[in-house]
Amino acid sequence: MTELKGLFGVPELSSPEGFRIAQENALRKTDLLVERARCTPPGPQTVLIFDELSDSLCRVADLADFVKIAHPEPAFREAAEEACRSIGTVVEKLNTNVELYQSLQKLLADEKLMDSLDPETRRVAELFMFDFEISGIHLDKEKRKRAVDLNVKILDLSSTFLMGTNFPTKIEKHLLPAHIHHNFVFTGDHVIIDGLHAEAPDPLVREAAYKIFLYPNADQLKCLEELLSSRDLLAKLVGYSTYSHRALQGTIAKNPETVMEFLEKLSDKLSERTIKDFEMIRGMKMKLNPQNSELMPWDPPYYSGVIRAERYNIEPSLYCPFFSLGACMEGLNILFNKLLGISLYAEQPAKGEVWCEDVRKLAVVHESEGLLGYVYCDFFQRADKPHQDCHFTIRGGRLKEDGDYQLPVVVLMLNLPHSSRNLPTLLTPGMMENLFHEMGHAMHSMLGRTRYQHVTGTRCPTDFAEVPSILMEYFANDYRVVNQFARHYQTGQSLPKNMVSRLCESKKVCAAADMQLQVFYATLDQIYHGKHPLRKSTTDILKETQEKFYGLPYVPNTAWQLRFSHLVGYGAKYYSYLMSRAVASMVWKECFLQDPFNRAAGERYRREMLAHGGGKEPMLMVQGMLQKCPSIDDFVSALVSDLDLDFETFLMDSE
């Protein structure tokens, strides 16, 4: 009889009630640590106590954050939701605890003491201080109360706005032409439109979905305006000129001026290519739909897909048999082994340790350092499971007082099909790339050997956090890597080289127009979080920005920004994806393009980038890796040169 363990091996969590016990334990520990922080004279010890405080709360909150969305049992989800709420309240209280603030303030005010700290400890002290300041702790009592109220209001508005971004639109069915009704869901006399139907072959379906799904909703519009102005008020209250200045502190970009310079230069460099892409898409539209060939915003995703399929024949079903889940995991194992000396071993979880019997537990083991941490793989589709692929930190790594290292624990969540009796789980090329992407996050978490959990692994600025995961996509698209593992699950035959190059080239189709769209979204996000009050309504700003930074006409009576869910999690930071891709592209070309299995490059990557988590300024990590300090122009060139037809494939085909 195996002993019953709780979720993730946490003994209390063998039942939903355990969340209450876990949070009570964490709160008791918090009280003791707050007391200790107050009585400890300023020094490195102060930072350790703060980090332990953060750790004891995060260990419950991070775990609960995951369980509340992923656990199949409602009772567990509800208990986790409750734990998140109560820990959140405690964090708010701590962020406004004046005595706690003063114990950190004493340390930061003592220049001599600060100079004696190592860079990581200094940075972590500053990051904790930053968390205090955004709560307005350095203000007088009245302003502090305003800051707390604004923080609460922003949380509420954020969750209301997020709900609204996905909310379907209902219209009376007689308003839609009868011959397209079958494309939508009905309830009584109404049609429900729950998305853009961007892949629908019928142009009328795409147009109807676009105009109806993006039709402005007055409540959502009001919610967005309040969210943006509350963020602006909070930023000004705590001493920043705009919310964007506040959000970008500590990032690679550092400030909104740099972000705008990056986006404007990128837009200029892309413009000719984008125009060519739009011409190509327009040509395909004329061919398929001659009576109406004006290019509209609902056209590019569909027609670029048609062009891709026509030119490159990359039907996923041709590729899937070569990408069984077993083969892909083996591919990751080979890659990590050659680059970093790391192996992934499946471990049998104890009873009650996992939330669903198809979750796999992997131990990440280094050839000389031993066990580095655990990755739980929640890979398969199930009812009620959220659809996005993501990485969750369950427990961060840190150096404990007894000198042991607290091992990191993460979850990777994907939505793969189940295997059947006669068929293993087969991945499309897109799923395979996503698996590599998420595994990049997991390795960042496993190798972030920081002293403090506050900056462990992916707990780093947003525009750096995506670098390790995007870098993995470059490996996933390299024939030398793919050739190590892609085997037909029945015949064992390797995936032919030309199929890999076709796949890579197909991704370049209309890629400039896609990137231009990202530039438009990122610019819109900057303007919304820039100077307030905004000169115009959010919809007028959308129209103006779309015409300047995307080039396809704005469609009257639509308000795409009301569906832009990233405004919540990535407010003022949506550019991060482009910036991270630029860094990943440079790292790939400089360090791995010659030889994707180069162990020395792998070790340097670990030492300069992965090992520090968020404990070092991101630009210093990039500099250490590239051995130069890249300029904005370098970032732009890296992104644009990725759009060129591939010199690698070109070399390969001519060999």
Side-chain angles (χ1 to χ4, degrees), residues 304-314 506-507 509-510 514:
S304 56
V306 174
I307 297 167
R308 227 170 267 137
E310 202 173 84
R311 280 203 196 161
Y312 293 103
N313 183 20
I314 45 158
S506 72
K507 289 183 182 154
V509 171
C510 304
D514 288 344

Side-chain angles (χ1 to χ4, degrees), residues 477-494:
N477 286 306
D478 187 284
Y479 181 70
R480 295 160 296 182
V481 176
V482 175
N483 189 38
Q484 296 279 323
F485 68 89
R487 300 278 176 279
H488 196 289
Y489 75 99
Q490 283 165 315
T491 64
Q493 177 210 350
S494 295

Side-chain angles (χ1 to χ4, degrees), residues 46 50 100-108 125 128-129 132:
T46 313
F50 267 80
L100 203 53
Y101 163 70
Q102 284 164 347
S103 69
L104 188 61
Q105 179 61 32
K106 274 187 206 127
L107 170 64
L108 284 154
F128 277 122
M129 191 48 136
F132 272 128

